[in-house]
Amino acid sequence: MKVEAGVATDIGQVREGNEDSYLVEPPLYAVADGMGGHKGGEVASQLALETVEEMFREGRGSLAEHVRAANRAVFERSVDDSKVAGMGTTLTTALVEHGSAHLAHVGDSRAYLLRAGSLRQITEDHTLVARMVQLGEITAEEAEVHPHKNVLTRALGTEPDVDVDELELGLLDGDRLLLCSDGLTSMVTEQQIEAILEAAPVAQDAADRLVRAANRAGGIDNITVVVLGISETGESGTGEPSVSGRPQQSSRDRRPVPPQLIRWGLGAAVLALVVAVGLVGLRMWLDGRWYVGAANQHVAIYQGIPAELLGFDLSHVDVESDISADSAMGLPLYAALPDGINATSREDALAIVEQIRDDLRKQARLDRGAAP
Ligand code: CA
């Protein structure tokens, strides 16, 4: 089996940095789409791919285990380093060898298979809207334009452990595999992707054209694509692609499910949705809250509120200033710094920090004037 790879990544038309990363180290290929303020997204997607590659090179464990190790690496870094606190990433990776592709996947980057001229998505999006579509609450078309279509239900690095979807796909001569970040799929329809892949038989050309199409459509996000052209299989099977999900779905040994269990299942799904919507609401509310507090002995701006819920911090450091927290607390006005000084917006919080700086300067001048 021969695999011809093409890859392209682009910052897009709007974003200030590219938080996507890719891996093209045959037989291993991957796309990761990082998220998190400042450099967080870039760090998360890079670190995830480095970890997967390193574990693969060392020949330790399965692809899903590599992805779980990447999750731990990103999570631990985000806990250790306040500058990248709360970062996370998607990861869609494919190991392509011996006539088949083994995929491991978390998040809303996607893998597609183009076979005999027709394109189909082979990964499942771990997004709130995908879940709502599954529950029949909204249609796939409504999901496309839903205001919360970017809300992930699963990502790498945001929790100590993560569920990883795994897929095994038998490959045929002429198959094309596409791995891509949502910067492509939120801009370009599947019909367009199919047409571009069909029109560009050379993998690199196809990758370049896909990125150009996303940019022409507005390029509101970073765009990353890996295109793999498969030829001369010979050892693989024939007919329908044998996509099988493990361990989430088992299509074998399907037995009738007792109605009681279906009701329980539905109840659990509805409960999960209510909790998810509640968490999304909480997240959105927290994102609009700001305060000035102390971090690493410095005055810092926090996003969120100075509290914990079930052991989770409801805030994270947005900016750590160079002002000593102890000196600030020496001024009666800012004695409450450790408890957090409320701000109405990020701008307001920045203004409070500058006010503290100003007041400290004034105080220092007074102190010098008073000294003999
Ligand atoms: Ca993205």
Side-chain angles (χ1 to χ4, degrees), residues 88-264:
T89 183
T90 72
L91 177 56
T92 302
T93 180
L95 181 59
V96 183
E97 57 184 2
H98 313 310
S100 66
H102 185 84
L103 288 103
H105 161 76
V106 175
D108 69 347
S109 296
R110 291 178 178 176
Y112 285 94
L113 173 70
L114 180 80
R115 173 168 291 174
S118 87
L119 185 77
R120 80 165 214 235
Q121 185 181 343
I122 52 179
T123 49
E124 187 183 293
D125 294 347
H126 299 141
T127 57
L128 191 59
V129 290
R131 190 177 285 176
M132 289 164 85
V133 171
Q134 276 171 0
L135 288 172
E137 306 216 326
I138 58 172
T139 64
E141 291 71 34
E142 285 165 341
E144 293 285 311
V145 293
H146 198 278
H148 299 149
K149 71 172 185 166
N150 296 320
V151 176
L152 294 182
T153 51
R154 236 195 274 176
L156 226 68
T158 56
E159 304 283 338
D161 290 301
V162 70
D163 281 336
V164 179
D165 283 1
E166 280 186 276
L167 301 148
E168 190 79 35
L169 177 69
L171 295 171
L172 300 178
D173 188 37
D175 279 351
R176 313 284 289 285
L177 266 180
L178 167 67
L179 310 180
C180 59
S181 64
D182 69 337
L184 176 72
T185 49
S186 59
M187 291 284 106
V188 182
T189 66
E190 291 183 354
Q191 286 84 348
Q192 288 171 307
I193 294 173
E194 185 181 282
I196 291 167
L197 287 173
E198 280 282 87
V202 175
Q204 185 57 50
D205 184 34
D208 291 335
R209 288 200 202 190
L210 287 169
V211 166
R212 267 205 301 278
N215 269 326
R216 269 202 302 268
I220 57 164
D221 198 356
N222 308 142
I223 311 141
T224 300
V225 302
V226 173
V227 177
L228 303 174
I230 312 296
S231 54
E232 298 163 6
T233 38
E235 46 180 313
S236 151
T238 53
E240 278 300 288
S242 54
V243 179
S244 66
R246 278 180 300 161
Q248 284 75 11
Q249 313 137 243
S250 74
S251 50
R252 275 167 286 163
D253 301 330
R254 184 163 283 172
R255 276 175 301 224
V257 182
Q260 187 67 32
L261 278 183
I262 292 178
R263 270 205 298 277
W264 277 9

Side-chain angles (χ1 to χ4, degrees), residues 300-334:
I301 295 176
Y302 283 83
Q303 188 173 23
I305 56 169
E308 273 192 353
L309 179 68
L310 306 171
F312 290 96
D313 278 337
L314 294 183
S315 64
H316 63 269
V317 175
D318 179 61
V319 180
E320 188 182 316
S321 77
D322 53 359
I323 304 170
S324 145
D326 280 337
S327 349
M329 283 183 290
L331 301 177
L333 197 53
Y334 307 116

